[in-house]
Amino acid sequence: MLIMKGVSKIFRTDLVETHALRNVDLHIKAGEFVSITGPSGSGKTTFLNLAGLLESFEEGDYFLDGENVRGLSDNALSDLRNQKIGFIFQSFNLLPDLPLFDNVDVPLRYRGLSAKDRKQRIEEALELVGLGSRMKHLPTQLSGGQQQRVAIARAIAGKPRFLLADEPTGNLDSQMARQVMELLEQINQQGTTIVMVTHDDELARRAGRNIQIFDGQVSDVDQNPSDALVKRA
Amino acid sequence: MFAYNFSLALRSLKERPALTLLMLLAMSVGLGLFVTFYTFAKNGSDIPHGDKASTLYLVQMDNRELSADKIDRAIDMPDTTYRDAVNLYNLDMPAIHQTYVMRTWATLSFADNEVRPMQTRGAATTADFFTMFEPPFLYGSGWQLAADSGDSQVVLGKTMNDKLFGGINSVGKRLLLNNKPVTVVGVLDTWHLSWRLYDRGYYQGYPHDFFVPVQYALNHNLTRDTRFDCWEADQPQSSRFTNQDLDILRASECGWLAFWAELPEADPAQYQEKLHSYINEQKAYGRFPRELQTYVLNIVEQMDFLNANYGEQSSVIMALLFYTVCLLNAIGILLAKFIRRSKEVSVRRALGARKSAIILQHTLEVMMLGLVSAVFGLLIAVLGLKAMVQIRLWASDYNARLEDVMPYFQLDWGLALQAFAISVLCALLISIYPIWRLCSQPVAGYLKSQ
Ligand SMILES: Nc1ncnc2c1ncn2[C@@H]1O[C@H](COP(=O)(O)OP(=O)(O)OP(=O)(O)O)[C@@H](O)[C@H]1O
Ligand SMILES: [Mg+2]
């Protein structure tokens, strides 16, 4: 599970302070499929980065699987990212010089798995996203949707407990988006907790639970529907 | 983990070949020139005569007239007069051996004219010279003490023996020296001296081709190829002393011989004391009008002075500065190369790479760069040294011989190994900042950009 208590994030530059997240209280249970929606610039990616331990935060506490991550060393955070979290980035972030196989291999390498184990997981993951036959291709030789699926394969190859997806369907047509959504649902059914940022209301509704972010503030639609409605009005 | 990072490092070396090549160029040219100049400076500053360097002392005394200019340094002192050389040699001085050396040249040939006559450099000295300075003998030895009386005997240098006798053992064979027969008693092996001090010639790369007894040289009026430090009154005549007026020269106050003493337990004080009492006795004859000024300096002390004043440190420092500039350039290129990789590093960090893994990956890369540039650098050094040999020969108007010049430009294998260490170390040094930059960027820093 994933628990945030009073978490705030402020981006400071020389000129301005941006309160990207304000006093976020949140509890996501193991096995949930949560969608996050909100206007552009509202703090969705920031929230996901924080949840994925890519970004530090100023205030509050964040418990990942019961462990308070505040004050953990850089190495401990790296290991947590490596072992518990799968990340699907808004812009795939594949390594362009590496074939698909090696791209999916990256997180497994840092986990120090055996070559045999890694090979099996990579093939499984690529098979699952339907790219089992293209392992030797470079990312640039794939379509956008295929690249997104490689990114998903990379995120799930390590069998993480949490899958954080930032607009995994943002670059895809609706047909492809539905396919990816089905893939995520399949992964969720196998027990992985998923938090997905999306602009697509239809996809958001398909998730078990929808959280909205406005101007850095989180409102849980399913738990506080009236509150959300008030804000929307 | 290591293997993985090693393969990543290899891959990123190949990834931007132009930048990699540019870095290699900067690092290897800098290193190559540094090794070139350092080799030259080091070879040229070696202390000659090995273990004996600390026991062989040049004896110098100021016999000049009152009006002569003051002297502050041993190197500016006049040479020793014939009178003093012979006196000291025959006196019971507290020395193991003593000798004196005169520079000369002569024509070597054969009666049957089979070999073209060769004009060549030589030294006239005494039998003890060979005991003191220990030149390596290929065949035979120096002449016996008795031959110091002026026997027609000669010791040949290796090059001359090669040219005259085709390198065979020529001991006992005869040849003509200035058309007069002499017998070979010894043949030297290659005798490389970084500086030729024994005749106070201070030459680098011009070894003597033959050695004869001083008395022989004087009896047969061999050219006295030296400077005569005379009193004012004798000065006008001094130009004649090279091959005339030997008797006047012998009686004069002109210094022209290098006088050496091998001292027990390297203790010059006792010797110098005795030298001073000799000089004070001589004052009774109206000689040594000036205040006592003598130097008894061994070869190590002389080399310290030469290296400090006539060494090649400045060119080494220049080369070092150039290397530094090259390395600074390399930092810039490395930074450019690494900054392009910011996004990849961000992705790897996000996927769970520890900082140490990133450091390892990039450290391995620069270490490989260091190793490869050491290889190229040494290649450049070898070529550079070859070029310097040619320059040296050309600068000598081809008077110097290749085999005599070569030793100054010989790459030392110990130094070559050190060059590897230096190169890798420098590569690590210049990578500190670029790698630090990569590691200190926020993990999420470059994940958004497409
Ligand atoms: N590194 C940063 N430095 C400064 N400000 C930042 C940084 N990252 C995000 N912000 C600011 O924080 C706020 C939230 O940004 P965030 O990327 O989380 O928005 P978002 O909800 O993901 O938007 P979008 O839907 O367009 O992706 C924005 O105002 C943004 O300008
Ligand atoms: Mg975003």
Side-chain angles (χ1 to χ4, degrees), chain A residues 44-45 90 166:
Chain A
K44 303 183 296 295
T45 297
Q90 196 164 0
D166 198 350

Side-chain angles (χ1 to χ4, degrees), chain A residues 45 49 54-55 74-75 78-79 81-82 87 89 91-93 95 97-98 102 105-107 109-110 154, chain B residues 1 4 8 11 15 343-344 347-355 357 443-444 446-450:
Chain A
T45 297
N49 282 349
L54 299 177
E55 202 106 61
D74 192 78
N75 280 348
S78 299
D79 293 350
R81 279 199 298 274
N82 187 241
F87 226 107
F89 302 100
S91 50
F92 326 129
N93 280 331
L95 301 179
D97 304 323
L98 296 184
D102 292 333
D105 195 19
V106 172
R109 284 285 192 169
Y110 293 118
R154 183 175 65 185
Chain B
M1 204 65 218
Y4 181 54
L8 288 182
R11 187 176 60 83
E15 165 186 283
K343 173 150 178 188
E344 173 175 342
V347 172
R348 289 185 180 277
R349 293 277 285 134
L351 297 177
R354 290 181 173 196
K355 269 185 189 169
V443 179
Y446 294 87
L447 294 174
K448 279 180 202 163
S449 53
Q450 190 68 29

Side-chain angles (χ1 to χ4, degrees), chain B residues 262-293:
Chain B
E262 180 178 346
L263 300 186
E265 282 155 37
D267 174 22
Q270 207 189 349
Y271 187 95
Q272 200 160 19
E273 205 175 297
K274 200 80 194 284
L275 178 65
H276 287 174
S277 57
Y278 163 74
I279 292 172
N280 283 330
E281 280 169 27
Q282 291 292 309
K283 280 178 185 283
Y285 304 103
R287 303 188 61 214
F288 293 95
R290 297 166 67 87
E291 216 177 298
L292 262 185
Q293 186 173 8

Side-chain angles (χ1 to χ4, degrees), chain A residues 10-13 16 18-21 38-49 55 90 166-167 197 199 213, chain B residues 444-445 448:
Chain A
I10 303 170
F11 288 112
R12 289 191 175 85
T13 60
V16 287
T18 311
H19 291 258
L21 289 178
S40 179
S42 56
K44 303 183 296 295
T45 297
T46 305
F47 169 76
L48 224 51
N49 282 349
E55 202 106 61
Q90 196 164 0
D166 198 350
E167 305 245 19
V197 169
H199 272 122
I213 300 186
Chain B
K448 279 180 202 163

Side-chain angles (χ1 to χ4, degrees), chain A residues 157-181:
Chain A
K159 303 205 166 68
R161 297 183 49 105
F162 300 91
L163 187 59
L164 307 178
D166 198 350
E167 305 245 19
T169 61
N171 301 290
L172 310 179
D173 62 38
S174 55
Q175 162 86 23
M176 197 65 96
R178 264 193 297 280
Q179 279 182 24
V180 167
M181 191 62 194

Side-chain angles (χ1 to χ4, degrees), chain B residues 315-346:
Chain B
S315 55
V316 173
I317 291 170
M318 290 298 287
L320 205 59
L321 283 177
F322 180 73
Y323 190 24
T324 311
V325 171
C326 287
L327 288 175
L328 287 175
N329 260 308
I331 293 183
I333 303 168
L334 196 63
L335 210 54
K337 200 171 153 72
F338 279 8
I339 279 173
R340 285 168 184 278
R341 217 173 290 154
S342 302
K343 173 150 178 188
E344 173 175 342
V345 169
S346 269

